[in-house]
Amino acid sequence: MIEVKHLTKRYGNNTAVDDISFSVKPGMIYGFLGPNGAGKSTTMNIITGCLAATEGTVTINGHDVFEEPLEAKKHVGYLPELPPLYAEMTPAEYLRFVAEAKGVSKEEMDYQLSYVMEKTQITSMQDRLIKNLSKGYRQRVGVAQAMLGNPEVIILDEPTVGLDPGQIIEIRDLIKSLADEHHTVILSSHILSEVSAVCDYVMIISHGRLIASDTIDNLSTILVGSRVLHLTVKGDLNRIRQVINRLADQAKTIRYEESSEDRGIDVYDIDIEVEKDIDLRETAFRLFCDAKCVILKLYAETIGLEDVFLKLTREYDEQYRVEQRLAALDQEENAFAPKEDDRPADDSGDNDPRPVM
Amino acid sequence: MFAIYKRELKSYLTNMIGCVFISVLLIIVGIFVTVMNLLYGYPLFEYSISNLTPFLFVLIPILTMRSVSEERHAKTDQLLYSLPVSVGNVVLAKYFAMITVFLIPTVIMAFYPLILSIFGNVPFASAYGALLGFMLLVSALISVGLFISSITESQVIAAVVSAGVLLGMYLMSVIAGIIPSSAFASLIGFAVVMVLIALIVWRMTKNATVAGIVCVAGLFLVGSIYLIDSTLFEGLFPRVLNWLSVFDRFDSFSEGLFDLTTIVYYLSISALFVFSTIQSVEKRRWS
């Protein structure tokens, strides 16, 4: 449906989008997730033909956005970050204008207008001036505008920003119902809960690069594949070490350090990371008991999608900084730079966490 | 394209701007027609029209200032880009909408010679010839204003710059008159123009090498032509400046001449600036 290949956008020396490739299949909801300034909006602007790419191609239903823009744009509805509304028009006038410009036929015009207004619940507001509408209603007029012409793909750039919780839920339901009607929806957000609530497929972008792209379920199993047991234990360090050694073969990683809260009185914080399906709580309890150590605190925690996102973007931040420094060195000395090109792909999560022991 | 044209036209007419433009133009024409044709009993309508031209460098910017800049300011240009309409059609729709706004007072003005003919003999041919010339002059000026609006995001800047450029065009013949017409003065004039072109190239491409090459090549060209045949440069620079005096061309119409070259000249100016506007809007996507 949409095929994006090696998309790159540079502003002078600044690379906003760096070699992004992905493809979009019909009837699914895709989410672009990334911190502010990651390149989400730029990517969307390029897909919709609002911006030209420096390199790479975008094809929509087999039409190249740069070669046959008019054909390609017929299949796309777009809501930019700021809804592009004419303040001095009423929603009804505005939507009629957009429908005419999109080439909606006369017979279908009235049906489509009432349909999108019904769907976005702006029918009661249709004769007020847009400049007098609240932000939530403006956003809805923007969404209605994107739905006109019944495009196969609807691209929404941060559709819920600035809305109140009730409106957010309404917009989300609207997006889901669009997918039920076989529209493909691409939305961007920097709010993770939103993406995980609405989208079937997530693409995480950071510093203009696609650092992960997979279904929500897969991302969760790949990265939320572990559970962490947090313990605070009081006792002799040597004994604690012995217990930890016995636990080590079941755990992925074990870290321990002197407790930050009760320093200096033989209290240690221990974090044990285990596979999702292993519950070490009882074993740990018995082992520490046998070793005459007192467990002051014990709780198990699964890593949420939130952590996955933070982990991925932070890891990538580090790598990005290193790359930038190498590139700077390279320019300065004009010598060879060992610029590694190991862009983290879908599997960037399995960064073998090394046991500290 | 028709949808955009319709929206633009409607927005001009429901907004203050279109109404102000139409009413001010009609008031000024009304004053001149009353004074010259009615009170002094002058039969020539083209005189009244030619008196309008100095007011255009205030009126035209009012009409054109928001055409493209406001879209960009309100971010509605993103909608136009994402619609299945080409940039060329968007710009043309805007251009024709402004011309239509101007046509409204022109149609009203077209009745004046008829009204005047009640009181005596009015030479219709020269009156309507002048009205046609006036329409073409305004179309050319609107295209200039449209282009200036497309290079900035601020309506105010667009208005001020447009007014300045139109004033410059209006005074061009005066400026051309005070410039010495010797070959050497022309050489210096062209050299300055070449340097200015190079500066614009540098500003737009941010590429010092290209700008440098343009500058050196331009200066070399001008210099070598001067060395080969300096008589070519006699009075050439003032002549070139005179080509740019869009307003003075209208004089032939107000003298009752139907000048075909002037019509072609105005149409080419319109085409040139509408084309430049399309390029300027298109360039923004590539920045």
Side-chain angles (χ1 to χ4, degrees), chain B residues 53 56-57 60 64 136-146 166 169 246-247 269-270:
Chain B
T53 50
L56 288 179
F57 66 83
I60 298 291
T64 60
L136 292 172
L137 166 68
V138 171
S139 311
L141 298 182
I142 286 177
S143 72
V144 175
L146 176 72
L166 296 189
M169 284 177 167
V246 180
F247 286 90
I269 294 260
S270 307

Side-chain angles (χ1 to χ4, degrees), chain B residues 37-97:
Chain B
N37 299 122
L38 293 179
L39 294 182
Y40 291 124
Y42 223 71
L44 300 178
F45 180 60
E46 55 266 33
Y47 274 36
S48 301
I49 295 181
S50 75
N51 275 316
L52 278 178
T53 50
F55 296 95
L56 288 179
F57 66 83
V58 181
L59 283 173
I60 298 291
I62 291 178
L63 188 65
T64 60
M65 62 182 184
R66 64 194 301 263
S67 52
V68 183
S69 59
E70 178 60 20
E71 298 270 1
R72 196 179 291 177
H73 182 73
K75 306 266 185 248
T76 44
D77 55 341
Q78 291 205 320
L79 172 72
L80 299 181
Y81 287 139
S82 67
L83 290 174
V85 182
S86 73
V87 172
N89 281 344
V90 171
V91 171
L92 279 177
K94 284 174 171 295
Y95 180 61
F96 287 133

